[in-house]
């Protein structure tokens, strides 16, 4: 561990909230004041590590936000310049564009993706699909059952993954009730906006291949 942790410097790593508290006390997660003498050393050391790292992460977060805004604005300015030069908008306001340096070493892609959500009609679609599976009984293939279960499995936030529902809609099943269920799914899909992504790449030596420059902590 790179942080130098000692009992003497633990008490010095106090947050702004702690500076307004009575001397020798800490506020716990429940909002109660606890004497520092009653807090385990390990708990104090853990507090020091987290309190030291998170503010740095928040600063990085702000820098990444600022970088994205700057990059998107620079790309939009380039599009506008090209539009003025040729009398047309390069890619349009929501166009996907790919920009490469003159020597081909770096590449930036701006990509837009429509954000979809589901209305209450998805419950009707699910009921119809459940009815199909019950009616088909043993006649339904295990593969179809697995696809259906995966499609309606919510993540930890209680959200259903759109791509899984789209996979479900691609199944070719000749059944009137199933077809009605797919119609209900299509009606349940609603566009709620557009997300914009920046993808940055660096060319791999002298090849025509590029590696992504990850700005995701989990991928570093």
């Amino acid at each position: 561990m790179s942080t130098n942790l000692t009992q003497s410097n633990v008490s010095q790593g106090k947050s702004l909230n702690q500076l307004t508290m009575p001397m020798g006390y800490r506020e716990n997660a429940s909002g109660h004041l606890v004497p520092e003498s009653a807090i385990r050393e390990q708990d104090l050391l853990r507090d020091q590590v987290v309190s030291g790292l998170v503010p740095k992460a928040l600063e990085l977060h702000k820098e990444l936000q600022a970088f994205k805004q700057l990059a998107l604005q620079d790309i939009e300015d380039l599009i506008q310049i090209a539009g003025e030069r040729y009398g047309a908008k390069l890619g349009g306001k929501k166009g996907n564009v790919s920009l490469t340096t003159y020597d081909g070493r770096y590449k930036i892609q701006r990509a837009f993706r429509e954000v979809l959500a589901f209305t209450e009609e998805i419950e009707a679609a699910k009921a119809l699909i459940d009815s199909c599976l019950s009616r088909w009984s043993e006649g339904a293939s295990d593969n179809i059952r697995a696809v259906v279960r995966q499609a309606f499995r919510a993540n930890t936030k209680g959200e259903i993954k759109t791509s899984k529902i789209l996979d479900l809609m691609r199944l070719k099943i000749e059944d009137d009730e199933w077809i009605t269920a797919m119609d209900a799914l299509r009606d349940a899909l609603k566009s709620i906006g557009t997300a914009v992504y920046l993808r940055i790449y660096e060319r791999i030596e002298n090849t025509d291949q590029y590696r992504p420059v990850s700005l995701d902590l989990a991928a570093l």
Side-chain angles (χ1 to χ4, degrees):
M1 184 179 296
S2 59
T3 306
N4 183 20
L5 301 178
T6 65
Q7 178 63 41
S8 61
N9 64 22
V10 166
S11 60
Q12 295 175 6
K14 296 185 178 180
S15 65
L16 182 61
N17 287 338
Q18 290 171 321
L19 294 176
T20 63
M21 294 179 190
M23 183 71 69
Y25 282 81
R26 293 285 187 100
E27 182 179 340
N28 66 13
S30 300
H32 303 143
L33 292 180
V34 180
E36 285 190 353
S37 59
I39 303 175
R40 294 189 315 143
E41 179 180 354
Q42 188 65 31
D43 292 338
L44 291 171
L45 294 174
R46 185 187 310 111
D47 177 81
Q48 181 190 350
V49 169
V50 177
S51 297
L53 292 176
V54 171
K56 295 176 182 177
L58 293 175
E59 285 300 317
L60 286 174
H61 178 71
K62 291 180 182 178
E63 290 179 15
L64 285 173
Q65 284 183 320
F67 168 75
K68 183 177 182 180
Q69 292 175 359
L70 174 65
L72 290 176
Q73 186 58 57
D74 283 353
I75 292 171
E76 186 60 33
D77 289 345
L78 184 65
I79 291 171
Q80 292 301 321
I81 292 171
E84 293 171 1
R85 180 168 296 163
Y86 297 103
K89 288 187 176 181
L90 178 64
K93 186 176 181 181
K94 292 186 178 180
N96 298 340
V97 295
S98 182
L99 312 174
T100 309
T101 57
Y102 188 71
D103 62 3
R105 182 178 179 184
Y106 301 119
K107 180 170 63 175
I108 295 180
Q109 292 180 342
R110 184 191 71 176
F112 287 90
R113 180 178 66 82
E114 188 177 17
V115 179
L116 300 174
F118 297 102
T119 68
E120 72 285 351
E121 291 159 308
I122 195 172
E123 294 299 326
K126 188 175 185 303
L128 289 169
I129 292 171
D130 288 341
S131 175
C132 286
L133 292 177
S134 297
R135 179 164 48 82
W136 296 339
S137 185
E138 295 179 0
S141 77
D142 291 337
N143 288 338
I144 292 178
R145 292 181 183 275
V147 170
V148 170
R149 284 196 297 268
Q150 285 293 327
F152 286 97
R153 181 173 295 172
N155 60 20
T156 55
K157 296 180 181 179
E159 300 167 337
I160 296 174
K161 197 168 184 179
T162 308
S163 61
K164 296 295 184 182
I165 294 295
L166 295 178
D167 288 342
L168 198 64
M169 293 167 62
R170 294 188 186 99
L171 293 176
K172 298 296 183 180
I173 299 176
E174 296 300 327
D175 183 281
D176 289 342
E177 190 172 32
W178 179 268
I179 292 172
T180 302
M182 295 303 101
D183 289 339
L185 280 182
R186 276 186 284 272
D187 291 339
L189 278 173
K190 179 182 179 182
S191 175
I192 59 173
T194 305
V196 59
Y197 297 89
L198 278 177
R199 299 184 178 96
I200 303 173
Y201 301 89
E202 181 181 25
R203 192 169 67 182
I204 301 175
E205 298 176 351
N206 295 322
T207 70
D208 60 352
Q209 302 296 312
Y210 286 82
R211 67 167 65 92
V213 177
S214 178
L215 300 178
D216 180 4
L217 283 177
L220 296 178

